[in-house]
Amino acid sequence: MSARKIIIDTDPGQDDAVAILLALASPELDVLGITAVAGNVPLPLTTKNALIVCELAGREDVKVFAGCDAPLSRVLVTAEHVHGKTGLDGPQLPTPKMALQEAHAVDFIIETLRREPSGTVTLCPLGPLTNIATAFQRAPDIVERVQEIVLMGGAYFQVGNITPTAEFNIYVDPEAADIVVKSGVPIVVMPLDVTHKALTTRPRVEAFRDMGTEPGRMVAEWTDFFERFDKEKYGSEGAPLHDPCVIAYLLEPDLFQGREVNVMVETGSELTMGMTVADWWRVTDRAPNAMFMGEVDADGFFALLTDRIARL
Ligand code: BDR
Ligand code: CA
């Protein structure tokens, strides 16, 4: 079987970095390009970080594009309090040497979806949905050509991590998320309900360090850094490793369980801005528009992750 074609849309972020490494280590996936977006840190840093991660994987051939530097209609909210000033705080970071592509990320997304056979490209958003929504708005013809969107964002039972009701990626650009969930593209959502069950416990982090490889060491040091914040906040034995859940789903979908439900994004209320209102109990007649995940086999997920990162 030929490799599944994906575009990773991302705002690295330590967990984004691990997701990118997982994808680049997996022959089942053909990463057509990595598109950076403003989110955890401003765009110049998320772009630079994407390059750093490709080089770490020994994949200078991967095409990296810079995208939107601000949400559709809001001021950018960032998350240095979680990820540090660089977005990839923890280990000493190299200065990337590989070249950034000249095209804008949104143009790359549009051109790729028009060029590739319809229904063969999956979008993997790991940050705010600004690039994807901008592409859909600018080129509505590409929407029906998308095979699937598998995204990290939102929350239902876990409610919020940046406000009491909103998850960060959706909160930063709720208007973009609204466009995406209403697009009609088949969507799989990895919300906090799932990612908060994929915790970086000590033995799981040490398994990365014990690989004795540069990618293994970097993953362990990134995890050491960002888990400090979450451990204190949640009193948990590790931090949720959010974004790799998206890539793991593409590789081993049976690790996850969820429900086909209707999901809508709050864009009107200041109090609950960016909340993903998931009709988990099907108490409305709103048509399902997403597979909203709720469970993960965390041991299976980390086994997959360590197996693949060790190959780099
Ligand atoms: C999401 O927000 C970011 O901080 C992480 O990279 C992840 O994509 C979790 O809410
Ligand atoms: Ca992210």
Side-chain angles (χ1 to χ4, degrees):
M1 226 175 74
S2 59
R4 183 167 178 176
K5 290 181 266 193
I6 66 169
I7 295 174
I8 302 177
D9 188 65
T10 177
D11 63 336
Q14 292 91 348
D15 60 321
D16 301 71
V18 180
I20 294 168
L21 291 177
L22 176 60
L24 295 181
S26 298
E28 301 94 325
L29 301 175
D30 178 5
V31 182
L32 300 180
I34 297 180
T35 52
V37 68
N40 286 322
V41 285
L43 183 70
L45 286 173
T46 59
T47 305
K48 179 180 173 192
N49 291 348
L51 296 171
I52 290 173
V53 178
C54 289
E55 285 190 5
L56 176 63
R59 291 292 306 275
E60 289 86 353
D61 60 303
V62 175
K63 294 184 173 132
V64 177
F65 302 83
C68 299
D69 62 1
L72 295 185
S73 55
R74 290 173 191 276
V75 173
L76 178 66
V77 174
T78 53
E80 285 88 353
H81 61 294
V82 183
H83 300 276
K85 250 200 352 235
T86 64
L88 289 182
D89 274 20
Q92 183 78 30
L93 297 174
T95 304
K97 289 188 262 324
M98 70 181 265
L100 179 68
Q101 299 294 307
E102 274 174 23
H104 191 281
V106 170
D107 293 326
F108 168 73
I109 293 168
I110 293 171
E111 279 158 25
T112 305
L113 283 161
R114 284 180 177 160
R115 185 189 64 235
E116 297 291 335
S118 186
T120 65
V121 177
T122 294
L123 302 178
C124 302
L126 310 177
L129 289 150
T130 320
N131 285 343
I132 309 294
T134 305
F136 284 5
Q137 277 185 321
R138 208 178 284 169
D141 58 290
I142 64 170
V143 175
E144 63 174 30
R145 302 181 67 82
V146 179
Q147 180 178 9
E148 194 174 27
I149 295 175
V150 184
L151 68 88
M152 192 281 136
Y156 183 65
F157 293 101
Q158 276 287 333
V159 287
N161 63 355
I162 185 78
T163 75
T165 56
E167 180 280 328
F168 179 78
N169 289 342
I170 307 297
Y171 177 76
V172 172
D173 200 343
E175 284 76 20
D178 182 53
I179 289 170
V180 169
V181 300
K182 289 179 177 163
S183 67
V185 176
I187 299 178
V188 177
V189 179
M190 291 293 166
L192 297 182
D193 307 318
V194 166
T195 66
H196 279 225
K197 293 170 184 157
L199 295 178
T200 57
T201 59
R202 263 307 93 193
R204 289 168 179 167
V205 176
E206 293 315 318
F208 293 120
R209 209 182 317 271
D210 290 347
M211 287 170 191
T213 63
E214 190 58 3
R217 180 184 71 81
M218 294 286 274
V219 169
E221 290 193 24
W222 278 328
T223 313
D224 282 345
F225 179 85
F226 84 86
E227 76 171 11
R228 259 179 259 154
F229 173 81
D230 280 324
K231 278 163 92 170
E232 194 180 329
K233 179 174 169 193
Y234 298 112
S236 53
E237 42 163 352
L241 200 52
H242 307 283
D243 294 337
C245 290
V246 165
I247 306 299
Y249 172 78
L250 299 176
L251 299 169
E252 283 190 33
D254 292 345
L255 289 174
F256 300 89
Q257 280 176 19
R259 292 187 184 192
E260 290 277 356
V261 297
N262 180 273
V263 182
M264 293 179 75
V265 176
E266 177 61 63
T267 57
S269 155
E270 276 311 315
L271 184 64
T272 55
M273 185 62 67
M275 182 176 185
T276 45
V277 181
D279 188 6
W280 185 262
W281 302 112
R282 301 210 179 102
V283 292
T284 74
D285 55 9
R286 295 196 283 264
N289 59 349
M291 168 58 89
F292 199 84
M293 293 300 181
E295 295 294 335
V296 56
D297 167 359
D299 286 333
F301 167 71
F302 277 94
L304 173 67
L305 204 51
T306 40
D307 170 66
R308 295 306 169 96
I309 301 292
R311 296 183 190 184
L312 288 172

